[in-house]
Amino acid sequence: NGGENFGIYRDGKLLAVEARNEITDNDTIFFHLQNLKQQPYQFRFAPIAVSSNATAYLVDKFLNSQTPVSLTDSSIIDFSVTPELGSAAADRFMIVFKLMSIVPVTFIDISATRTSEQSSIVKWQTANELNVQQYLVERSNDGRHFISIGSTSMVSNNGSNAAYEFPD
């Protein structure tokens, strides 16, 4: 039709509905958007009978971002089409699934304390560290989009307990 269009792009075909097998690691749903206007939009995802052994992320190639999508409850994700090149690209969005695996560590405690007007310290304690390379520390202003602010090397990594802290 000549209006706004949304579909799923699979094997060279545009689909309105798609039946899928069990989710696999890096399984992807490619979306196809067409004839969008320069205005705000919302994705509303309402999962039904989706594997609880997976996580999902909406990948926005225009903003170069990944936003978590709940597989147990509704998710609403805002986006805008602007005059910028790529903002209305038909292949701008996709959902990527990741299968969850057992984390090789147990977190005993995590806390963050403000130490001054411009500074905080993040502390955490772990148990059973095995095969962990490092911890990446990230920050978010909205709880949805995160940026890395640093990393820490391992203290034990031999199955014992360890304590860490990171200034922010």
Side-chain angles (χ1 to χ4, degrees), residues 45-60:
F45 299 104
I48 299 172
V50 179
S51 170
S52 62
N53 190 31
T55 58
Y57 298 90
L58 178 70
V59 175
D60 182 339

Side-chain angles (χ1 to χ4, degrees), residues 37-156:
K37 299 173 185 166
Q38 292 180 11
Q39 66 182 34
Y41 289 91
Q42 280 187 337
F43 281 120
R44 294 179 183 225
F45 299 104
I48 299 172
V50 179
S51 170
S52 62
N53 190 31
T55 58
Y57 298 90
L58 178 70
V59 175
D60 182 339
K61 294 194 300 186
F62 172 68
L63 295 179
N64 195 26
S65 66
Q66 295 184 7
T67 305
V69 175
S70 175
L71 297 178
T72 58
D73 198 3
S74 295
S75 296
I76 298 173
I77 300 172
D78 297 318
F79 72 97
S80 293
V81 174
T82 67
E84 295 178 68
L85 187 62
S87 174
D91 66 346
R92 176 178 170 178
F93 295 101
M94 67 182 96
I95 289 185
V96 177
F97 296 92
K98 298 285 185 186
L99 292 182
M100 292 189 284
S101 60
I102 298 173
V103 177
V105 66
T106 301
F107 288 91
I108 298 170
D109 185 48
I110 300 174
S111 65
T113 307
R114 183 175 298 278
T115 57
S116 71
E117 194 63 36
Q118 298 292 322
S119 169
S120 298
I121 190 148
V122 179
K123 296 181 180 182
W124 64 99
Q125 295 178 332
T126 64
N128 306 321
E129 286 182 344
L130 289 172
N131 302 319
V132 177
Q133 291 181 336
Q134 65 182 346
Y135 291 101
L136 299 176
V137 182
E138 297 181 336
R139 177 189 310 128
S140 173
N141 291 328
D142 62 8
R144 292 171 58 182
H145 302 92
F146 291 83
I147 60 166
S148 178
I149 59 171
S151 65
T152 63
S153 298
M154 299 309 305
V155 170
S156 78

Side-chain angles (χ1 to χ4, degrees), residues 9-26:
Y9 189 74
R10 176 73 63 203
D11 298 328
K13 296 178 183 174
L14 288 177
L15 309 171
V17 177
E18 179 185 32
R20 300 185 60 85
N21 293 324
E22 188 72 24
I23 294 172
T24 60
D25 198 34
N26 291 318

